[in-house]
Amino acid sequence: MDQGMATWDDGRLQRVCIHGFKSLWKMVTSGLPQGSVLGPILFLIFINDLDSHLVTSLLKFAEDSKLFGKVNHDSDKDVIQQDLHSLVEWSNKWQMAFNTEKCKVMHLGKHNKKFDYYMNNQKLDVVNEEKDLGVLNTDDLKPSSQCRQANGKASTVLGMISQTISYKMPTVLLKLYKTLVRPHLEYCIPVWSPYYSWDKVLLERVQHRFTRMLPGLKQKSYFECPEHLGLWTLEERRNRADLLEVF
């Protein structure tokens, strides 16, 4: 073992406190402090072979894993179920059990037969909507739920700014909007970019509310305000971003 890793825990102590009662101090002989740089690296090495015996595809991000595959026949369903068994066997072998209560199944496609799947003899719950890395995914692959979520978060922050900031200079409010509000409207936008007009309007409505907070702009139309402030509409920003990605 590398000398640096061998001495990582040297001199570290720990104890347990329950209801105000504390145990004796004990030397730390294994493990890593939470938040250490080495922790994520060792974890990735530990789970590196998680998908080594799987037939279907597996995506891994930190402690989250997503198994997916195309199912047209009963035999395809059996393949996925066997891969789930393989994952459970791996977790039992290396003592890193899956939290099956948090494991979900999402069926995609109009003609999906919606088979049942099991882990540890427990039937996995079927969901129509699930959050993944902060983005709401639905079984119809439409972004409306994510748009509503983004609108709600951005509107909450905008309301807080409106109620707490009394010095309403355009330069100050503009910086607050760009820093605290607009990121909610554009988080992971390439993944869920809205294509329905009502979803686009829902997002633009937040920026419209912001422009009406500024003195002298309440009487202007929404499309005049962004130009006056040097802002683009959210749709213009998405379109320009798409062009930059293409070129």
Side-chain angles (χ1 to χ4, degrees):
M1 180 183 292
D2 183 82
Q3 185 65 25
M5 292 179 62
T7 59
W8 189 270
D9 292 324
D10 284 0
R12 296 183 184 273
L13 301 173
Q14 67 179 7
R15 67 178 177 180
V16 179
C17 179
I18 301 177
H19 299 306
F21 295 94
K22 301 174 182 177
S23 67
L24 298 176
W25 287 103
K26 294 291 184 179
M27 292 293 299
V28 177
T29 58
S30 63
L32 295 169
Q34 185 174 1
S36 66
V37 176
L38 190 58
I41 297 175
L42 293 180
F43 179 78
L44 292 176
I45 294 173
F46 189 84
I47 67 169
N48 186 57
D49 65 337
L50 178 62
D51 56 350
S52 59
H53 299 293
L54 302 183
V55 177
T56 51
S57 302
L58 183 75
L59 296 178
K60 293 176 286 187
F61 183 86
E63 74 277 17
D64 291 333
S65 301
K66 301 171 189 65
L67 183 74
F68 62 96
K70 182 183 294 186
V71 178
N72 292 322
H73 308 286
D74 290 1
S75 57
D76 298 327
K77 175 258 185 182
D78 294 336
V79 170
I80 291 183
Q81 184 59 65
Q82 181 55 48
D83 282 349
L84 289 173
H85 290 322
S86 297
L87 290 176
V88 171
E89 290 175 359
W90 182 95
S91 67
N92 292 335
K93 178 181 179 181
W94 297 108
Q95 301 179 18
M96 186 176 286
F98 285 94
N99 187 343
T100 53
E101 292 184 358
K102 291 186 176 181
C103 293
K104 312 292 183 183
V105 176
M106 181 178 290
H107 300 293
L108 305 178
K110 293 183 179 180
H111 304 293
N112 196 303
K113 295 184 178 181
K114 300 183 179 181
F115 292 110
D116 293 330
Y117 296 95
Y118 298 82
M119 292 183 72
N120 278 331
N121 297 319
Q122 178 177 334
K123 181 181 175 181
L124 300 181
D125 292 335
V126 177
V127 295
N128 299 322
E129 180 179 281
E130 186 70 14
K131 182 179 291 187
D132 182 22
L133 303 180
V135 177
L136 280 174
N137 297 282
T138 58
D139 56 2
D140 58 7
L141 300 180
K142 295 180 180 179
S144 296
S145 296
Q146 173 62 25
C147 291
R148 288 192 294 270
Q149 174 181 262
N151 174 277
K153 290 182 177 180
S155 296
T156 299
V157 178
L158 188 62
M160 178 193 68
I161 293 174
S162 177
Q163 295 174 10
T164 57
I165 303 298
S166 57
Y167 186 67
K168 290 183 168 54
M169 286 292 292
T171 53
V172 174
L173 291 179
L174 193 58
K175 289 180 179 180
L176 289 173
Y177 169 75
K178 290 181 178 180
T179 305
L180 302 177
V181 179
R182 194 167 65 185
H184 288 296
L185 302 173
E186 297 182 335
Y187 173 74
C188 286
I189 194 68
V191 177
W192 56 273
S193 183
Y195 47 87
Y196 288 125
S197 58
W198 52 81
D199 288 333
K200 295 178 182 180
V201 170
L202 187 65
L203 298 180
E204 297 287 356
R205 191 175 296 163
V206 179
Q207 185 160 284
H208 188 195
R209 282 181 55 202
F210 163 71
T211 59
R212 292 177 62 83
M213 288 170 51
L214 301 174
L217 296 183
K218 290 186 178 181
Q219 304 304 323
K220 293 183 178 293
S221 71
Y222 170 58
F223 293 100
E224 291 177 313
C225 292
E227 183 177 352
H228 181 81
L229 296 170
L231 286 173
W232 290 335
T233 65
L234 298 175
E235 185 171 10
E236 286 175 336
R237 285 175 56 82
R238 290 194 298 271
N239 293 337
R240 290 175 183 266
D242 291 340
L243 287 175
L244 290 175
E245 289 180 3
V246 171
F247 292 103

